[in-house]
Amino acid sequence: MSSTTPTPELHRRALLTAAAWSAPVIAVAVAAPLAAASQELEKGLQGWVAMTTTQTTQWTQGFAPRPITTNHLTIDGSGTPPERGLWVTGTSTRTKLANASITFYSDANVTWTPMRGNSGAWSTPTRTGTTRIDGVTCSVYVTTYQRPITATSTQTNLDNQLMFRAVENTGRARVWARRSITVDGQEVAFTRGPITVG
């Protein structure tokens, strides 16, 4: 008597829990409000970066197949301005832009890998140590923009194809994000969070 062995299936779905950090720019090292910042502080690394959990289910083979589910944190900045993507507002052709980076703080200790569609404009987030935020010990992950930035009038768009996934299986995780860019020799930054994903 022959038995059939199911072929492995790979199902992916983005869980509903997601965060999209957008807009406000405020002074360095001050937490950003949920509402838009004042017009005086409009220069900065604006846009949309989603932190989500992607769930992968793979079925085991054998007499009694069973699902094995893993959760992976993902970072996705892709999209088209003005709804999505990343850009610097309040620029002119004379504006000098440099040192764009995003620092993620999370209570999940993971290793990041590029996802399909990642352009390489942003470095793979690297763990640089730990810090405490709101009483939580967090791993610090930094991604930096690796291309020269030529400012354009009013708004300067950056390559937004930063798409990374955590290698390790994660459950629920708290995440903060700090965006930073040097504008005419002065750092402009803001921090958002925490949000919980997973």
Side-chain angles (χ1 to χ4, degrees), residues 9 14 17 45 47 50 57 94 126 129 139 147 161 163 183-184 190:
E9 294 180 53
T17 314
L45 184 54
T57 302
R94 295 184 306 276
T126 303
S139 293
R147 297 182 179 167
Q161 295 300 109
M163 302 171 71
V183 181
D184 293 329
F190 68 86

Side-chain angles (χ1 to χ4, degrees), residues 17-25 31-35 45-53 73-78 82-87 102-106 112 133 141 143 162 173-179 190-197:
T17 314
W21 287 294
S22 62
V25 173
L34 296 177
L45 184 54
Q46 306 283 4
W48 186 94
V49 175
M51 175 70 74
T52 62
T53 300
L73 287 175
T74 59
I75 298 168
D76 184 355
S78 64
E83 288 80 24
R84 295 191 175 188
L86 289 166
W87 58 84
I102 304 175
T103 303
F104 295 96
Y105 307 90
S106 178
W112 297 96
I133 303 177
Y141 306 97
T143 177
L162 68 157
R174 280 176 289 184
V175 183
W176 292 255
R178 180 182 188 270
R179 297 188 195 179
F190 68 86
T191 301
R192 275 278 179 93
I195 55 97
T196 301
V197 291

Side-chain angles (χ1 to χ4, degrees), residues 138-197:
C138 296
S139 293
V140 181
Y141 306 97
V142 180
T143 177
T144 58
Y145 197 66
Q146 302 182 115
R147 297 182 179 167
I149 307 172
T150 302
T152 57
S153 181
T154 310
Q155 177 173 302
T156 302
N157 294 337
L158 301 184
D159 184 316
N160 56 46
Q161 295 300 109
L162 68 157
M163 302 171 71
F164 301 99
R165 187 177 84 160
V167 174
E168 295 82 4
N169 182 24
T170 57
R172 292 172 65 81
R174 280 176 289 184
V175 183
W176 292 255
R178 180 182 188 270
R179 297 188 195 179
S180 174
I181 191 166
T182 302
V183 181
D184 293 329
Q186 183 174 1
E187 182 188 40
V188 181
F190 68 86
T191 301
R192 275 278 179 93
I195 55 97
T196 301
V197 291

Side-chain angles (χ1 to χ4, degrees), residues 10-77:
L10 195 62
H11 302 284
R12 291 178 181 271
R13 66 181 174 90
L15 298 182
L16 296 176
T17 314
W21 287 294
S22 62
V25 173
I26 61 171
V28 175
V30 179
L34 296 177
S38 71
Q39 293 300 314
E40 293 176 42
L41 299 170
E42 67 178 356
K43 282 194 178 75
L45 184 54
Q46 306 283 4
W48 186 94
V49 175
M51 175 70 74
T52 62
T53 300
T54 301
Q55 189 175 80
T56 304
T57 302
Q58 187 167 6
W59 290 85
T60 61
Q61 295 185 17
F63 179 73
R66 63 184 179 84
I68 298 175
T69 301
T70 56
N71 293 309
H72 302 276
L73 287 175
T74 59
I75 298 168
D76 184 355

